[in-house]
Amino acid sequence: HQGLSLVKGNDYLLDDPDLAYIAEKCNKTTAQVILRFALQEGIIPVVTTARADRMGEILDCYQFALAEEEMNVIRKIAKLYDYDY
């Protein structure tokens, strides 16, 4: 299975306008929205960083929830990009 990877080569997810809209609406980054989506889908994301500010952003993903409507939008995006999670 291919995950919702944020690694180089999949930056288009970070630029997706629907994800950006959801992120703005939630006052979060697009990366945080993707991580939160994974958590709500029962996926355990594997994240790495050496930056303290990014670690704070990662931990903040546990402080909000996406609405079902937002989850459905992200599911459609995942399907569009042919992600099988």
Side-chain angles (χ1 to χ4, degrees):
H1 294 291
Q2 181 180 17
L4 290 175
S5 178
L6 297 176
V7 297
K8 189 174 180 180
N10 290 332
D11 289 342
Y12 49 81
L13 283 177
L14 295 175
D15 297 329
D16 184 274
D18 291 323
L19 284 172
Y21 173 77
I22 292 169
E24 184 178 326
K25 189 171 142 183
C26 295
N27 198 30
K28 303 295 177 190
T29 67
T30 305
Q32 286 174 306
V33 168
I34 293 168
L35 287 172
R36 184 63 212 179
F37 170 76
L39 291 169
Q40 285 184 224
E41 288 291 284
I43 299 166
I44 300 170
V46 177
V47 295
T48 60
T49 187
R51 293 177 45 184
D53 60 325
R54 290 256 173 95
M55 183 55 69
E57 286 182 11
I58 292 166
L59 293 174
D60 189 47
C61 292
Y62 291 94
Q63 303 303 316
F64 74 103
L66 297 167
E68 190 60 30
E69 178 183 320
E70 295 162 336
M71 293 291 290
N72 287 333
V73 168
I74 300 170
R75 287 182 190 110
K76 288 178 185 175
I77 293 168
K79 197 172 221 176
L80 175 70
Y81 289 121
D82 199 30
Y83 281 104
D84 181 21
Y85 62 94

